[in-house]
Amino acid sequence: MSTLTPYNGSPVPYLGSLHLPIQRYGPGSNYQEDDHKLVVVMVGLPARGKSYIVKKLKRYLSWLGFNTKIFNVGDRRRRVADDYGNGINDAGNATTMRDTHTAVPSEANAGVKARPRRHSSAFFDPNNDKARAIRNMVAMDVLDDLILWLKSGGQVAIHDATNSTILRRRAILNRLQRDPEIKVLFVESICNDQRIIDRNIKLKTNGPDYVGMDPVAAEADFRARLCNYECAYNPLGEYEEHRDVQYCKIIDVGKKVIAYNIQGYIESQCVFYLMNINLHPRIIFITRHGQSEDNVLGRIGGDANLSEKGRKFAATLTEFVKQKIAAFAERTLAEQQQEEDEERQRPLSDSIALANGHSHYPPATSSLHEYPTSSETSSVDGTPQPSLEIWTSMLKRAMQTAEGFDPDVYTIRHLRALNEIYAGKREGMTYKEIMEQYPDEFEARRKNKFYYRYPGIGGESYADVVQKLQPIIVELERKRHSVMIVGHRAVVRTLLSYLMEIPTTHMPDMEVPLGYVYACEPRPFGNHLTVWKYLEDKDCFVEIDAKSALQIRQTNLMTPPAYDQDST
């Protein structure tokens, strides 16, 4: 018996008392329980993209099966401001620094303590000894929590803070090196592009440190904070190298990468992944193939042709995606033009006033750096590239779904890694036949669908699908233009679980019906998902609520199995 529930980003409590094994499928069977733990220590000035890198890295490692958690020092600083003395002014004295926007209405919240206001830029002054001591104390307290979590079963912990001085990093190293099973990887984010920095500053001034504050005042305060950090900033370099510390520098979001002394498997995975990320605007379209002849019969696997309905869907899909790509290119170009106009119209005197003596570190490049639009990108040699690339599996039903795209206009790639999960000896059977003829297998798969591997040579599990899609994910991150993927149910589930950070324990139970198109647009703080549904009677696509579209099938493991045609 099963029901459907929209995925809301939190764990879905449908596994009852079943305890699944810790996911360790990422590096294969060679990875053992007693292998080392890893702490990724972020380094860099504010507004340099550390949060962007941290969230992407956590999503990737979690998808690979590593138990990964982010420990954000800024969040702790804001939460425990009262415990650490609230804000610190220029003289080093404690001050509550509240404003009217943070007060709690007494009538509605009787007895509730008002939330302390943000720390001002003076709190980050390197000459403010009391504030510096508090910031270091918070950072080390977070580090202690991080270590405790690792010793309780965690695998990769990310210390998300500026950690921008040698003194801070020395303290972190000294503490972590007390535990020989814990390895350390420093990751520094450096940005020389002033346009990206200005974008990040706008995002920061809308963050929790500046809730309810005038935007101009917030930006001035944040730029003053940047100036304070720059005065004391020590990039990664000789100190870490003299101690043989693993580190990686990501410059301008992957344009340049410097790696030093990378030794471990997880560390190498981190560096390889971060080498491929970029900020170019693009959309990742994901859909299943059109209805096949085997779909009509309810048979799994195989290499059937599209049915008549499937060919109709494919023709409409082609025109639909072309229209969406054209609209996206127009929107992206308009946004970039607006940003450039605002930059040109901003008086130089305003910039100087906001900076309040701020000088860029490292030296900024031109603020009007030209970005390629999503309608046309360029390869390394400058050759114009199409705005959309088509990837399909090597199975006929997927390739036929993409036949409407002209190969002279679009790059079309057929990739074996996108093939459907291989059912081994059960290829060509229906689920009803498997349930009736092999009830023990059917039950084993129902109870542990992610790790169950179909019997026979080449039979696969969902864990195997993650393994074979790993290069696809890295390639998607590397691409600087839009991609449409025509795949299969298990493949679409696995890709969406990565892009939308859905736990792999829920991924095999995601509903991904035929006729749905998922459009994932990478943004600074996560991926934005849009979903369309194909209406056969009207031969068109309509947008539907994305949250409700990501439905998780909830199975009651205490009840006897029932035949379910759509249970892959």
Side-chain angles (χ1 to χ4, degrees), residues 263-507:
Q263 297 179 7
Y265 176 84
I266 308 178
E267 296 92 314
S268 64
Q269 288 294 308
C270 292
V271 174
F272 178 64
Y273 175 75
L274 294 175
M275 288 175 63
N276 287 279
I277 63 176
N278 71 86
L279 291 175
H280 282 246
R282 60 200 188 279
I283 296 181
I284 301 168
F285 294 93
I286 302 175
T287 187
R288 290 178 63 187
H289 55 80
Q291 184 193 65
S292 72
E293 294 170 352
D294 276 347
N295 287 140
V296 177
L297 300 173
R299 301 193 179 281
I300 64 174
D303 193 16
N305 293 310
L306 291 181
S307 68
E308 192 62 38
K309 288 183 179 180
R311 294 188 180 279
K312 181 180 178 182
F313 165 82
T316 306
L317 174 70
T318 301
E319 296 307 315
F320 174 76
V321 171
K322 288 179 180 178
Q323 292 171 9
K324 291 301 176 184
I325 283 293
F328 176 70
E330 291 179 6
R331 172 167 65 85
T332 303
L333 186 60
E335 291 173 352
Q336 292 174 349
Q337 186 63 53
Q338 181 181 1
E339 191 175 84
E340 291 181 1
D341 291 344
E342 290 175 355
E343 183 75 20
R344 293 189 182 97
Q345 292 170 7
R346 184 174 185 174
L348 180 61
S349 58
D350 288 355
S351 300
I352 296 174
L354 281 170
N356 192 23
H358 163 68
S359 62
H360 298 299
Y361 182 94
T365 58
S366 170
S367 62
L368 295 180
H369 172 74
E370 292 297 328
Y371 281 85
T373 69
S374 64
S375 60
E376 182 179 278
T377 57
S378 297
S379 63
V380 175
D381 61 2
T383 305
Q385 298 293 311
S387 59
L388 178 67
E389 196 164 309
I390 314 296
W391 299 356
T392 82
S393 76
M394 297 187 70
L395 300 176
K396 287 188 291 187
R397 55 192 183 274
M399 293 190 290
Q400 290 170 1
T401 301
E403 280 181 348
F405 291 94
D406 187 347
D408 292 332
V409 177
Y410 302 95
T411 300
I412 301 176
R413 302 172 64 186
H414 306 303
L415 305 170
R416 191 175 302 278
L418 293 174
N419 283 6
E420 179 61 300
I421 187 171
Y422 185 62
K425 293 181 177 179
R426 307 297 168 248
E427 284 276 308
M429 297 182 69
T430 67
Y431 287 108
K432 184 177 181 180
E433 290 171 345
I434 296 173
M435 184 180 68
E436 293 174 349
Q437 298 177 33
Y438 305 98
D440 291 343
E441 278 187 30
F442 188 89
E443 180 66 8
R445 185 171 187 268
R446 190 174 71 98
K447 286 185 175 180
N448 198 344
K449 198 170 179 181
F450 185 83
Y451 287 98
Y452 172 86
R453 180 176 286 119
Y454 280 106
I457 297 175
E460 291 180 321
S461 67
Y462 271 90
D464 297 324
V465 175
V466 171
Q467 283 277 284
K468 73 178 185 178
L469 287 179
Q470 185 178 0
I472 298 291
I473 292 299
V474 174
E475 184 71 357
L476 279 176
E477 293 292 351
R478 188 184 68 82
K479 286 296 178 183
R480 300 191 174 199
H481 52 255
S482 297
V483 175
M484 186 184 81
I485 297 176
V486 181
H488 307 266
R489 179 153 40 200
V491 169
V492 170
R493 283 171 170 163
T494 308
L495 292 173
L496 287 176
S497 74
Y498 166 75
L499 292 168
M500 302 312 299
E501 203 168 356
I502 296 172
T504 51
T505 48
H506 303 327
M507 175 255 286

Side-chain angles (χ1 to χ4, degrees), residues 15 130 132 175 197 249 259 291 305 425 429 465 565 568:
L15 291 177
K130 290 185 178 180
R132 185 176 66 251
R175 174 63 187 90
I197 295 173
K249 291 191 177 192
Q291 184 193 65
N305 293 310
K425 293 181 177 179
M429 297 182 69
V465 175
Q565 177 65 46
T568 58

